Amino acid sequence: DAKTTQPPSMDCAEGRAANLPCNHSTISGNEYVYWYRQIHSQGPQYIIHGLKNNETNEMASLIITEDRKSSTLILPHATLRDTAVYYCIVRVLNNAGNNRKLIWGLGTSLAVNP
Amino acid sequence: DGGITQSPKYLFRKEGQNVTLSCEQNLNHDAMYWYRQDPGQGLRLIYYSQIVNDFQKGDIAEGYSVSREKKESFPLTVTSAQKNPTAFYLCASTKGASGTTGELFFGEGSRLTVL
């Protein structure tokens, strides 16, 4: 089962910031939060990841709460090409304890409107 | 340009036939993965390989087989034993062999429809 909870859909106006929330209340201290997005019928694309501190790259910013139970992905100036499904994922140890894997949920379908 | 190439993009097969999906990468990545995506479900891991000539079962390996004879290639065979093979199949790779990185690079996917 996914360790994250996201709203199923969101809307955003073109040019405005898109703030996508994610709850991961059962996250462990050494588990990273990853964000990917998937444009319809294409392979997912890595966006950003973090552990405790806020992170920023050319695509987005990731804000993680101090208790690490939730995070927000921010797309500062959304464009129509940002319309996609956004996945918030926790990277966990596999059952054997010798590798890590990503647990994918259903994501948030973001629609950027003109 | 470097990337991951999956083929074919669309594939139709009759029930009971084995099919092989191709995945090639020129990123010089060590680890490669196969995922399955169904409507209303998250991506599920089928198989992964961290080095040549070695691979491990993922969460839903039954009815599938893989090989890793070359670093660049990780083909997936969907056998007739797979009960519900119609799905969108995604191949991915990561740089490190340890699998500790979560930065996966994905191909464009192969959509398999079994009639």
Side-chain angles (χ1 to χ4, degrees):
Chain A
D1 290 336
K3 294 190 69 170
T4 60
T5 305
Q6 300 176 255
S9 62
M10 293 183 63
D11 287 292
C12 177
E14 188 178 17
R16 305 295 294 269
N19 298 290
L20 293 94
C22 179
N23 289 323
H24 31 78
S25 59
T26 62
I27 195 169
S28 298
N30 60 352
E31 293 176 340
Y32 282 74
V33 177
Y34 282 77
W35 283 83
Y36 280 76
R37 72 180 183 183
Q38 185 176 25
I39 296 171
H40 183 63
S41 294
Q42 296 183 21
Q45 176 190 23
Y46 166 82
I47 301 174
I48 198 167
H49 74 279
L51 183 63
K52 297 179 183 178
N53 300 321
N54 298 337
E55 302 288 343
T56 295
N57 62 20
E58 64 278 4
M59 290 183 67
S61 294
L62 174 61
I63 309 298
I64 303 175
T65 58
E66 193 167 341
D67 63 7
R68 301 189 69 241
K69 292 185 177 183
S70 66
S71 60
T72 300
L73 179 74
I74 301 172
L75 307 179
H77 307 286
T79 71
L80 299 179
R81 287 180 295 180
D82 291 322
T83 293
V85 177
Y86 286 78
Y87 295 96
C88 171
I89 302 159
V90 172
R91 193 187 73 182
V92 304
L93 275 176
N94 63 358
N95 293 337
N98 58 0
N99 204 343
R100 289 172 175 82
K101 64 178 183 179
L102 302 177
I103 306 296
W104 298 73
L106 299 179
T108 295
S109 180
L110 174 69
V112 180
N113 304 310
Chain B
D1 288 348
I4 298 179
T5 302
Q6 289 186 240
S7 63
K9 192 170 178 65
Y10 299 96
L11 186 60
F12 297 87
R13 278 295 181 267
K14 292 182 179 180
E15 194 172 329
Q17 289 182 328
N18 291 357
V19 299
T20 296
L21 308 180
S22 170
C23 178
E24 303 279 333
Q25 55 99 356
N26 60 4
L27 299 166
N28 198 32
H29 283 177
D30 294 297
M32 298 186 73
Y33 306 78
W34 274 104
Y35 286 89
R36 170 181 171 142
Q37 188 172 31
D38 295 279
Q41 296 194 42
L43 272 69
R44 292 182 291 168
L45 182 64
I46 304 172
Y47 266 99
Y48 65 98
S49 168
Q50 294 177 289
I51 57 173
V52 174
N53 293 323
D54 186 56
F55 48 83
Q56 307 294 329
K57 292 182 179 180
D59 300 315
I60 55 165
E62 185 175 353
Y64 299 96
S65 66
V66 294
S67 63
R68 186 87 187 276
E69 297 177 1
K70 298 186 301 182
K71 186 176 184 178
E72 303 80 19
S73 179
F74 191 42
L76 173 74
T77 297
V78 184
T79 75
S80 57
Q82 169 51 232
K83 300 301 182 187
N84 187 17
T86 294
F88 189 48
Y89 291 89
L90 288 158
C91 180
S93 69
T94 56
K95 187 174 183 180
S98 64
T100 57
T101 177
E103 186 173 345
L104 293 164
F105 290 80
F106 282 88
E108 291 300 297
S110 293
R111 189 169 297 279
L112 172 63
T113 302
V114 176
L115 306 172

